[in-house]
């Protein structure tokens, strides 16, 4: 271990190279690295490796430093080509395995929690690390991804040091020395979870965003990619969607599906919890459908029919009671 990365943690803060950040900010920024952006980095690395060209490594450095973490890392001095190549290979590996694994954790466990708090985040992570079905399907290991490996134990030197932080306050900080970007990102993410911050993926734009205080949110506050007049949160709300549905047929189909689910809940054919799960499934289907121009309206309508949604969610409708549905109580 070279220990060329040094960072400090204290409470819900992380400090790298004199810059103080809220825990979770580095993770959000890295998770928003797109597959296309990563592919450019990987291709550039292959060219550098094949040609033994320092200029290609310079290009990788420029690409990496567009992400917040790498922009903060100190540049090693007097490093030869082979050491530099090895370092970038390690960086690219750590970004790849961290993003894939944590994105699975957020999608399959965190986003389904009924209550957002540090205890539930910890319980979800425990299940993620120990349940064979999660380990085998969602954690990057050599069995599933060749030589790639997401590690649950990282090697680094840890010290407790009293120091003046970047904001001028004195604190006893945890000083971490490591050569693993995985270790930095996991420290950032786990500190965020421990202090009650949650990271989710916006159902509209697909970007990851951070929440505080146990809030449940499906949408971020960024500009909607489908209508710049609205934020993603506004675009995702029922009333705004009614307005936009005049011009977006798939939104009309989604709203109709919501109405069917609500009617079933009011008739007590399904429970409130089942209705919430069904609507989440429909939102996910809309999220995919808006990105697939080749998906016909008929195919999308069939995908979010009550029968299809309830089957995917494991919901069994009860015998339909007589009488008109109740007017109150929507999820």
């Amino acid at each position: 271990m070279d220990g060329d990365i040094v960072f400090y943690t204290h409470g819900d803060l992380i400090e790298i190279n004199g810059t103080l950040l809220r825990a979770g900010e580095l993770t959000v920024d890295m998770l928003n690295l797109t597959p296309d952006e990563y592919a450019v980095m990987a291709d550039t690395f292959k060219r550098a490796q094949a040609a033994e060209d320092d200029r290609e490594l310079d290009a990788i450095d420029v690409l990496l430093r567009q992400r917040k973490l790498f922009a903060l890392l100190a540049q090693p001095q007097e490093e030869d080509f082979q050491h530099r190549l090895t370092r970038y290979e390690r960086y690219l590996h750590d970004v790849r395995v961290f993003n894939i694994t944590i994105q699975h954790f957020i999608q399959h466990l965190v986003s389904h929690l009924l209550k957002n708090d540090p205890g539930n985040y910890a319980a979800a992570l425990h299940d993620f690390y120990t349940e064979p079905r999660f380990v085998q399907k969602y954690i990057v290991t050599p069995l599933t991804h060749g030589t790639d490996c997401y590690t649950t134990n990282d090697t680094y030197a840890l010290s407790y040091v009293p120091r003046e932080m970047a904001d001028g306050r004195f604190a006893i900080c945890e000083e971490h020395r490591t050569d693993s970007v995985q270790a930095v990102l996991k420290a950032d993410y786990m500190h965020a979870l421990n202090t009650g911050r949650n990271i989710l993926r916006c159902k509209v734009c697909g970007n990851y965003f951070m929440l505080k205080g146990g809030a449940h949110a499906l949408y971020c506050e960024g500009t909607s990619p489908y209508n710049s007049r609205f934020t993603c949160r506004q675009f995702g709300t029922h009333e705004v969607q009614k307005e936009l549905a005049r011009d977006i047929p798939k939104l009309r189909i989604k709203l109709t599906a919501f109405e069917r689910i609500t009617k079933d809940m009011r008739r007590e054919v399904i429970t409130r919890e089942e209705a919430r799960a069904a609507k989440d499934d429909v939102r996910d289907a809309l999220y995919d459908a808006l990105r697939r121009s080749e998906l016909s309206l008929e195919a999308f309508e069939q995908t979010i029919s009550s029968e299809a949604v309830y089957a995917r969610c494991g919901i069994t409708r009860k015998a339909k009671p007589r009488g008109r549905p109740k007017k109150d109580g929507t999820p």
Side-chain angles (χ1 to χ4, degrees):
M1 184 185 73
D2 297 329
D4 58 356
I5 303 174
V6 180
F7 65 100
Y8 300 89
T9 55
H10 176 69
D12 64 347
L13 300 172
I14 183 168
E15 183 182 333
I16 300 179
N17 206 18
T19 298
L20 198 62
L21 302 163
R22 293 182 304 162
E25 288 186 48
L26 295 175
T27 299
V28 168
D29 181 66
M30 195 63 72
L31 291 178
N32 283 327
L33 176 72
T34 69
D36 287 345
E37 290 171 331
Y38 184 86
V40 173
M41 294 179 185
D43 290 343
T44 306
F45 176 83
K46 290 176 183 177
R47 289 197 302 270
Q49 189 176 39
E52 298 186 1
D53 189 347
D54 266 311
R55 289 172 299 179
E56 295 289 358
L57 292 185
D58 291 340
I60 293 176
D61 188 74
V62 170
L63 293 170
L64 284 172
R65 288 183 178 277
Q66 293 176 13
R67 315 316 301 183
K68 191 174 295 186
L69 171 58
F70 293 108
L72 294 174
L73 295 185
Q75 189 75 272
Q77 301 297 315
E78 299 181 0
E79 190 178 34
D80 62 33
F81 175 84
Q82 190 56 51
H83 278 86
R84 196 179 178 198
L85 184 74
T86 300
R87 178 164 58 86
Y88 286 130
E89 182 178 33
R90 188 173 68 235
Y91 286 174
L92 292 175
H93 167 272
D94 281 354
V95 168
R96 181 169 64 248
V97 300
F98 177 83
N99 275 12
I100 293 173
T101 300
I102 298 305
Q103 285 168 357
H104 282 160
F105 175 58
I106 292 170
Q107 177 185 352
H108 297 289
L109 280 88
V110 175
S111 63
H112 297 289
L113 292 175
L114 296 179
K115 184 178 181 182
N116 292 329
D117 61 36
N120 280 335
Y121 302 150
L125 187 64
H126 177 270
D127 290 344
F128 188 67
Y129 280 174
T130 58
E131 286 285 341
R133 60 195 175 101
F134 294 138
V135 173
Q136 294 168 9
K137 291 178 65 176
Y138 302 134
I139 296 180
V140 173
T141 67
L143 291 176
T144 57
H145 289 75
T147 59
D148 284 355
C149 187
Y150 173 92
T151 57
T152 55
N153 295 287
D154 297 298
T155 301
Y156 57 81
L158 173 65
S159 304
Y160 292 92
V161 294
R163 62 188 298 274
E164 185 177 10
M165 301 176 69
D167 61 359
R169 293 181 300 151
F170 277 87
I172 300 175
C173 300
E174 297 171 327
E175 180 187 81
H176 308 258
R177 291 181 177 269
T178 183
D179 56 11
S180 169
V181 166
Q182 272 199 73
V184 182
L185 290 170
K186 276 179 277 190
D188 178 70
Y189 183 46
M190 302 312 168
H191 274 76
L193 294 180
N194 269 337
T195 55
R197 294 195 179 107
N198 191 11
I199 295 173
L200 294 174
R201 192 178 191 188
C202 176
K203 296 290 187 181
V204 174
C205 69
N207 287 330
Y208 289 86
F209 65 103
M210 190 156 54
L211 294 165
K212 175 68 176 174
H216 286 273
L218 298 171
Y219 317 107
C220 71
E221 294 292 339
T223 302
S224 166
Y226 304 109
N227 192 315
S228 60
R229 292 184 299 146
F230 303 103
T231 65
C232 289
R233 182 184 61 78
Q234 291 170 332
F235 181 91
T237 60
H238 194 71
E239 292 304 317
V240 170
Q241 287 191 20
K242 283 182 179 178
E243 177 186 344
L244 297 178
R246 293 176 296 180
D247 303 315
I248 306 177
K250 287 176 182 176
L251 267 178
R252 291 201 300 269
I253 296 172
K254 175 257 187 185
L255 293 173
T256 301
F258 264 36
E259 290 170 1
R260 290 195 302 266
I261 294 168
T262 299
K263 286 179 180 178
D264 277 352
M265 186 199 67
R266 288 175 175 172
R267 291 191 178 99
E268 299 181 357
V269 172
I270 62 175
T271 66
R272 182 184 299 271
E273 290 72 23
E274 288 172 335
R276 184 178 291 113
K279 289 186 176 183
D280 285 345
D281 184 84
V282 171
R283 288 189 186 99
D284 288 341
L286 176 65
Y287 171 82
D288 293 332
L290 289 173
R291 286 159 173 74
R292 294 177 55 194
S293 58
E294 80 283 1
L295 183 67
S296 69
L297 296 179
E298 293 76 15
F300 177 57
E301 191 166 20
Q302 180 59 38
T303 298
I304 61 172
S305 66
S306 294
E307 293 76 13
V309 172
Y310 292 173
R312 286 196 297 270
C313 296
I315 297 171
T316 302
R317 299 172 82 252
K318 302 178 181 66
K320 182 178 178 181
R322 294 184 178 181
R324 302 181 66 179
K326 298 177 181 179
K327 292 185 178 181
D328 57 345
T330 57

